[in-house]
Amino acid sequence: MPSRRIDVTTWYLEQCDPGDLNPARETSARIVRAEVVLPELSRFLYSAVGGDWYWTDRLPWTYEQWRNWLERPGVETWIAYVGGTPAGFAELDPQPDGQVELAYFGLLRPFHGQGFGGHLLSVAAARAWDLADRWPGREPTTRVWLHTCSLDGPAALRNYQSRGFRLYDTKVKTRDLPHQPPGPWPGAR
């Protein structure tokens, strides 16, 4: 498949105090932590949410790589369910010095534009701030950070900023990309 060269802007955002969080209104989504390490579930969420946004870095991971990533102490996956159906997820990645990266976040396409993203992000950020409460020996969170880019959904940056994340860096990099993102599974397009 032919590719194209485009400039991709990446924005880095952070909260440095739990008081920075500006929660969105709650919705009918039920947000639950996946307490059982299940690579199949995480890979489904990653590809179902990220397939439309060029999330490809983890697609070649083996089952073992997924399991090793997810079994690290403090890694948490929070899933939004709407009507019993997975609607989106957030993955927290604990890092040294009390930092937590919101490594992945997003909704499946049928759930866009209904307020579920703001609600899920509010819960995910709050859970990043209280991560040490669930993981004995983990130092308290001092910073929650994330990055988003111009390839992500059009509401992503606005949602992060509305929840109290502040921009601290911007980078532009030229990338070779296929004309369309991979979709949720091979051959879907």
Side-chain angles (χ1 to χ4, degrees):
M1 172 183 274
S3 65
R4 61 192 169 119
R5 290 182 66 74
I6 64 168
D7 287 337
V8 176
T9 303
T10 301
W11 298 280
Y12 297 84
L13 299 104
E14 66 184 354
Q15 292 180 354
C16 295
D17 184 272
D20 292 343
L21 177 59
N22 180 29
R25 67 175 174 79
E26 289 192 18
T27 66
S28 62
R30 188 170 57 93
I31 301 169
V32 178
R33 179 178 157 214
E35 295 186 39
V36 175
V37 170
L38 194 60
E40 297 91 339
L41 176 61
S42 291
R43 190 181 193 292
F44 159 73
L45 292 166
Y46 175 85
S47 61
V49 169
D52 289 330
W53 312 114
Y54 292 98
W55 292 6
T56 58
D57 57 319
R58 292 187 182 181
L59 291 178
W61 280 16
T62 65
Y63 184 89
E64 198 69 23
Q65 287 172 301
W66 275 100
R67 191 174 54 140
N68 289 340
W69 177 264
L70 297 168
E71 286 180 340
R72 293 178 307 121
V75 170
E76 293 184 350
T77 302
W78 290 84
I79 305 171
Y81 291 92
V82 176
T85 302
F89 81 111
E91 182 185 276
L92 304 181
D93 177 14
Q95 299 176 346
D97 302 322
Q99 297 190 51
V100 178
E101 180 184 5
L102 181 55
Y104 285 95
F105 171 85
L107 299 174
L108 283 83
R109 188 171 293 277
F111 302 98
H112 290 189
Q114 300 172 57
F116 298 124
H119 181 196
L120 175 58
L121 181 57
S122 298
V123 172
R127 296 302 66 85
W129 281 109
D130 64 17
L131 189 68
D133 295 347
R134 293 180 301 284
W135 292 93
R138 167 102 183 136
E139 59 190 293
T141 301
T142 58
R143 177 178 178 249
V144 178
W145 71 279
L146 59 89
H147 67 275
T148 188
C149 74
S150 54
L151 297 174
D152 283 337
L157 181 60
R158 183 176 62 247
N159 187 23
Y160 295 132
Q161 290 177 317
S162 294
R163 301 292 68 80
F165 284 91
R166 286 186 292 280
L167 185 68
Y168 71 89
D169 197 9
T170 303
K171 295 181 181 172
V172 178
K173 181 179 178 183
T174 302
R175 293 183 52 193
D176 289 316
L177 295 171
H179 286 280
Q180 291 187 338
W185 57 79
R189 295 196 183 271

